[in-house]
Amino acid sequence: MSRILIVEDEQSIAELERDYLEISGYEVDIETSGERGLERALTFDYDLVILDLMLPIMDGFEICRRIRSVKDIPIVMVSAKKEDIDKIRGLGLGADDYMIKPFSPSELVARVKAHLARYERLMGKRESKNDEVRIRGLMIDKTARRVFVNDKEVMFTTKEFDLLTHLAMNPNRVYSKEQLFDLLWGMDAMGEIATVTVHIRKLREKVEQDPSNPQYIETIWGAGYRFRI
């Protein structure tokens, strides 16, 4: 359930807006003081703020500016002032919408729904995470092709990265040198099976705390290599 804060000094208007929003399934809080509204907006997690422009002591412009400096939630500014300069100023300070009183509560609900839906889409895109493999102190970012060992980035060649990623994505499975060579270099590639041994050694030097006593990439004598988790 989305949570909405209404900052409006006219109690009857705030309650009417709240009633319509609650009927539409939203959780709503009301503050009639600009200062208390700002404090609540900054303290609690709201999904959207409906902000009256003309408030005692602290006006909506200042509240909008201060909310926007720390939060990226939608702000719908409402006011009886029809001048374009006020609308331009409000939007310039970071308001997502500017509604002129009087307006129908149904229109307010429709705009709230639209802004919340757009915000959720934008946040979904921003929060989409890279494809990562995490095993103890090792983190492989497959999307960015970066590797971190104990939070420190370590550089890898293309084949080193591909080999490490393949092993880490298939833990506890033993691969022979021939299998790894075919998988990473291709059956028709020019080279020798010994290149696998060289690459394994380089991987250990980069990811193991003690390459002579590996904790990630184990040698299974007579069989090949295994990534241990």
Side-chain angles (χ1 to χ4, degrees), residues 174-177 179-180 204 218-226:
V174 178
Y175 286 94
S176 68
K177 295 177 184 178
Q179 287 175 316
L180 292 174
R204 286 172 172 163
E218 298 179 314
T219 297
I220 307 301
W221 297 108
Y225 302 101
R226 177 179 63 193

Side-chain angles (χ1 to χ4, degrees), residues 46-148:
Y46 288 99
D47 298 291
L48 182 143
V49 176
I50 298 172
L51 178 62
D52 185 35
L53 177 57
M54 302 303 293
L55 294 164
I57 303 177
M58 182 180 296
D59 65 23
F61 289 131
E62 177 64 14
I63 295 171
C64 179
R65 183 187 67 80
R66 292 174 66 172
I67 292 175
R68 184 58 73 230
S69 68
V70 295
K71 292 193 175 185
D72 197 28
I73 58 174
I75 300 173
V76 177
M77 190 172 283
V78 299
S79 175
K81 300 180 73 172
K82 300 180 180 180
E83 290 80 4
D84 286 345
I85 187 64
D86 294 308
K87 183 176 182 179
I88 292 170
R89 183 183 176 191
L91 296 174
L93 287 170
D96 296 273
D97 204 347
Y98 189 102
M99 299 184 66
I100 298 174
K101 298 179 180 179
F103 50 78
S104 71
S106 297
E107 180 185 0
L108 175 64
V109 172
R111 295 204 190 189
V112 165
K113 287 181 178 179
H115 285 294
L116 287 173
R118 184 177 66 177
Y119 180 71
E120 289 171 2
R121 288 195 300 271
L122 290 173
M123 289 304 295
K125 291 179 181 178
R126 291 176 188 175
E127 293 177 356
S128 58
K129 295 183 179 180
N130 286 3
D131 189 1
E132 299 175 353
V133 179
R134 292 178 179 269
I135 302 175
R136 299 191 297 280
L138 176 67
M139 193 280 278
I140 304 170
D141 185 336
K142 294 170 58 183
T143 306
R145 294 184 69 85
R146 302 172 71 187
V147 179
F148 295 83

Side-chain angles (χ1 to χ4, degrees), residues 8-45:
E8 167 66 67
D9 63 330
E10 294 189 46
Q11 188 74 31
S12 60
I13 292 177
E15 290 177 353
L16 180 62
E17 293 173 350
R18 179 191 61 194
D19 292 345
Y20 271 79
L21 289 165
E22 287 183 341
I23 290 171
S24 298
Y26 299 109
E27 181 182 345
V28 183
D29 292 326
I30 294 174
E31 280 294 349
T32 56
S33 160
E35 288 184 319
R36 290 197 303 270
L38 174 62
E39 181 181 2
R40 182 175 283 272
L42 297 180
T43 302
F44 299 99
D45 290 329

